[in-house]
Amino acid sequence: MKDDFAPGDLVLEDFLPYRLSILTNRISQTLAGIYQERFGISIPEWRVMAILGRHSPLSSNLIAERGRMDKAKVSRAVSRLLDAGLITRETDPRDNRLLILKLSTRGKRIYAKIAPLALAWESDLLDGLDDEDKAAIDRILNKLSERVEVMQERDA
Amino acid sequence: MKDDFAPGDLVLEDFLPYRLSILTNRISQTLAGIYQERFGISIPEWRVMAILGRHSPLSSNLIAERGRMDKAKVSRAVSRLLDAGLITRETDPRDNRLLILKLSTRGKRIYAKIAPLALAWESDLLDGLDDEDKAAIDRILNKLSERVEVMQERDA
C-alpha cells in the first residue's frame, strides 16, 4: 500500500466494529460445532430456531428484525427449516395476509436437545473471564447497544 | 411453547453469543450508513476492502479466513468489487495457481475516503463508554478471543 493513503490510519485489528465482528463470527462458528454436524443445521438456521424457541409465532420479517439478520438470509434459512420439517408456517389468525412461523414438534425436540448444550458451551466460554470481567461485559454490551441505538436514530 | 421443553432454559436475550451477534450486526448496519449510500458498497464488500486496505495482496480464501467470513459471501463480494473496478486480481508471482487481490487505484481512493469516516464513527460509538469501560472492553475481547481459540482447538 502506498500513494494516496496511509494504511496506518485504520488499524483494522484495533477497530472495534471489526474486532467485535471477528470475535462474534468465531464464537458462532465454534458454537456451531455442537449442532451443525449432529443435526445438520446451519448457523442462520439455528439462529431462526433459537428466536422461534424464545418468541413464537413470528413472521420472517420479524425474525430478521429481532435477530438483526439479513432478510434474504432469514428467508433461505426458513425455506430449509420448512423443508426439513423443523418449523411450520400458517396464516396469522389475526391478519390473513401474514404468514407466521413456529417450531414444529420435531423442531421443538431438536431445540430442546441443543439448548442445554448451547448453555454449557456459553458457560465454558465465560470460564475465560473472572467475576469482575463478567459484570463488565454485561454492562458494556448494554452501554454499546444503547449508544448505537442513539446513533442509528440520529443518523436516520 | 410447551410440551417437551421449557423456553426459560435458554433466555436468548441473556445468551452471550446472541447478544454479541445482535450488537455486532447492529454496529455493522449503522456503520454502513457512512459508505453504503454514498459509495454503493455493501457490508461484506466494505469488509473485504478494509482487509485488503490493511493486508494486501491476499487470495479470496485468506480474506475469508482473516475476516472469519463465509467463503461464498467473500466470493460474491469479490466479484462485485472486481466488476466495480475497486479491486484487481492477478496471478501470484510466487505460485501461478493462486489468484491474489489488491485494491485498485480507485479502490484505494474510496478506501481513503471511508477510513477516516469509519474512525470518527468508532470514536463516536466509544463516547458511550467511560475510560474504565474502554480499558475493560479491550481486555475482555482479548480474553474471549483467546478462550474461544482454545475451545475451537480442543473441539477440532
Side-chain angles (χ1 to χ4, degrees):
Chain A
M1 286 300 134
K2 48 184 163 29
D3 310 330
D4 43 6
F5 75 99
D9 288 352
L10 178 58
V11 180
L12 211 51
E13 292 73 12
D14 296 337
F15 185 57
L16 186 64
Y18 184 77
R19 290 178 72 192
L20 276 172
S21 162
I22 294 286
L23 175 64
T24 298
N25 289 348
R26 189 153 203 176
I27 284 178
S28 296
Q29 285 167 4
T30 309
L31 175 63
I34 67 174
Y35 58 78
Q36 208 151 34
E37 262 190 52
R38 185 160 162 211
F39 300 103
I41 294 169
S42 72
I43 294 174
E45 286 160 29
W46 163 247
R47 191 150 306 154
V48 168
M49 288 184 72
I51 293 172
L52 288 177
R54 178 79 181 142
H55 308 279
S56 183
L58 286 177
S59 67
S60 266
N61 279 351
L62 282 176
I63 294 173
E65 205 176 288
R66 202 171 264 281
R68 300 266 150 201
M69 293 168 74
D70 180 67
K71 279 185 189 176
K73 191 180 265 183
V74 170
S75 157
R76 283 192 299 271
V78 161
S79 295
R80 284 190 305 253
L81 291 169
L82 284 168
D83 287 347
L86 296 176
I87 62 173
T88 61
R89 180 165 56 187
E90 57 189 61
T91 307
D92 188 338
R94 293 165 309 179
D95 179 351
N96 64 17
R97 293 160 306 177
L98 270 189
L99 290 169
I100 51 176
L101 305 162
K102 290 180 192 176
L103 291 178
S104 67
T105 304
R106 202 164 99 79
K108 284 184 192 174
R109 209 164 52 227
I110 290 184
Y111 174 94
K113 283 185 185 160
I114 297 175
L117 299 173
L119 286 168
W121 189 92
E122 180 200 33
S123 142
D124 198 356
L125 176 68
L126 287 171
D127 277 352
L129 300 182
D130 58 27
D131 287 345
E132 192 192 328
D133 281 348
K134 280 182 200 169
I137 181 85
D138 187 58
R139 185 179 68 237
I140 291 169
L141 292 183
N142 285 337
K143 282 187 186 172
L144 289 176
S145 296
E146 282 164 27
R147 181 76 188 148
V148 74
E149 191 166 350
V150 167
M151 290 170 72
Q152 196 171 28
E153 280 167 15
R154 190 192 57 196
D155 300 347
Chain B
M1 289 296 135
K2 49 182 162 30
D3 310 331
D4 43 5
F5 75 98
D9 288 353
L10 178 58
V11 180
L12 211 50
E13 292 73 13
D14 297 337
F15 185 58
L16 186 64
Y18 184 76
R19 290 178 72 192
L20 276 172
S21 162
I22 294 286
L23 175 63
T24 299
N25 288 348
R26 189 155 201 172
I27 284 178
S28 296
Q29 285 166 5
T30 309
L31 174 63
I34 67 174
Y35 58 76
Q36 208 151 34
E37 263 190 54
R38 186 161 162 209
F39 300 102
I41 294 169
S42 72
I43 294 173
E45 286 160 30
W46 163 247
R47 190 150 308 154
V48 168
M49 288 183 71
I51 292 172
L52 288 177
R54 177 79 180 142
H55 308 279
S56 183
L58 286 177
S59 68
S60 266
N61 279 350
L62 281 177
I63 293 173
E65 204 177 289
R66 203 171 263 281
R68 300 268 149 200
M69 294 168 74
D70 179 67
K71 278 184 190 176
K73 191 179 266 183
V74 171
S75 157
R76 284 192 299 270
V78 162
S79 295
R80 284 190 304 252
L81 291 169
L82 284 168
D83 287 348
L86 296 176
I87 61 174
T88 60
R89 180 165 56 189
E90 57 190 58
T91 307
D92 188 339
R94 293 165 309 178
D95 178 353
N96 64 17
R97 293 160 307 176
L98 269 188
L99 291 168
I100 51 176
L101 305 162
K102 289 180 191 176
L103 291 177
S104 67
T105 305
R106 201 164 101 77
K108 284 183 193 175
R109 207 164 53 225
I110 290 184
Y111 174 93
K113 282 185 186 161
I114 297 176
L117 298 173
L119 285 168
W121 190 92
E122 179 200 33
S123 143
D124 198 355
L125 176 69
L126 287 171
D127 277 350
L129 301 181
D130 57 28
D131 287 346
E132 193 191 327
D133 281 349
K134 279 182 202 169
I137 182 84
D138 187 58
R139 184 177 71 237
I140 292 170
L141 292 183
N142 285 338
K143 282 187 186 173
L144 288 176
S145 296
E146 281 165 26
R147 180 77 189 146
V148 75
E149 191 166 351
V150 168
M151 290 171 72
Q152 195 172 29
E153 280 167 15
R154 189 192 58 195
D155 301 346

